[in-house]
Every structure is written in structure tokens, then in C-alpha cells.
Amino acid sequence: MPMNNIKLELGCGRNKAEGWIGIDKQALPGVDLPWDLENIPWPLPDECCYYIRGIHVMEYICPRKQIAVMNELWRVMQMDGVLELNVPLAGSKPDFWNPEHC
């Protein structure tokens, strides 16, 4: 696994995009780094990622650990990197329907 200029996909599951390094709590096919995002520090060096995206993953992070996770994102992000986080609209039906959402 390359350790610099990484495009990191948080909570990738089985649907990791081509050319990305996938980190997920579950060791599914396609997951490059099976790791719980709440387990800090992540096994990645400082400033190794130039693009990090998390599509519908942050709502699963325990509220007490969200700042620590954001700090870890900051640690692994390169200067002028891109951080893309998408979450459901708070209070929307999909947000309430999933009992695992924090």
C-alpha cells in the first residue's frame, strides 16, 4: 500500500472506487485497511492523504469520538488536501430510520 498521496475512502465497504485505498470496520472484499475509525491513531502516517472522502460514514461515529476522528482526519491530510464528508440531513426520514446512526 502506498504511504503518500493517498486517496482514502472512509467506510468503503464492498464499493470502494478504483484507485482509492479503502478503510472499513469490516474486512470485506475490497477493503485495504480493516480498521475501526474510532480506534485512534489510525495506522497511517502523518500527511499521507491528498483526498479523503466519507460517504455516509460519519453518522456512525459515536458523538463522543467525533472530534477525535476529525483531529485524525486533520493529522493524515496533506496541506491543501480535500476532505469530502457526506451525511444524511439531520432529522430526515433516512436519518431516523437507521438505529445505528448517532
Side-chain angles (χ1 to χ4, degrees):
M1 176 178 358
M3 293 313 265
N4 60 7
N5 293 322
I6 292 173
K7 293 190 303 185
L8 183 66
E9 188 165 358
L10 308 174
C12 65
R14 292 181 174 94
N15 301 314
K16 181 186 69 175
E18 187 175 333
W20 291 71
I21 300 295
I23 184 171
D24 198 289
K25 191 177 197 175
Q26 299 180 46
L28 299 168
V31 173
D32 301 295
L33 185 57
W35 193 266
D36 184 346
L37 295 175
E38 295 179 353
N39 184 7
I40 294 171
W42 300 342
L44 293 168
D46 294 352
E47 301 178 18
C48 64
C49 300
Y50 74 90
Y51 200 119
I52 300 174
R53 76 171 169 205
I55 310 300
H56 293 282
V57 68
M58 291 302 291
E59 62 267 26
Y60 294 95
I61 303 295
C62 172
R64 292 183 305 273
K65 297 185 178 188
Q66 288 176 352
I67 291 176
V69 168
M70 292 301 293
N71 286 338
E72 191 66 357
L73 289 166
W74 179 262
R75 180 186 72 79
V76 301
M77 179 66 68
Q78 293 175 356
M79 186 65 68
D80 297 326
V82 174
L83 174 62
E84 175 187 356
L85 297 174
N86 294 297
V87 296
L89 180 64
S92 66
K93 286 182 182 179
D95 184 35
F96 286 124
W97 287 343
N98 191 331
E100 294 178 348
H101 284 186
C102 298

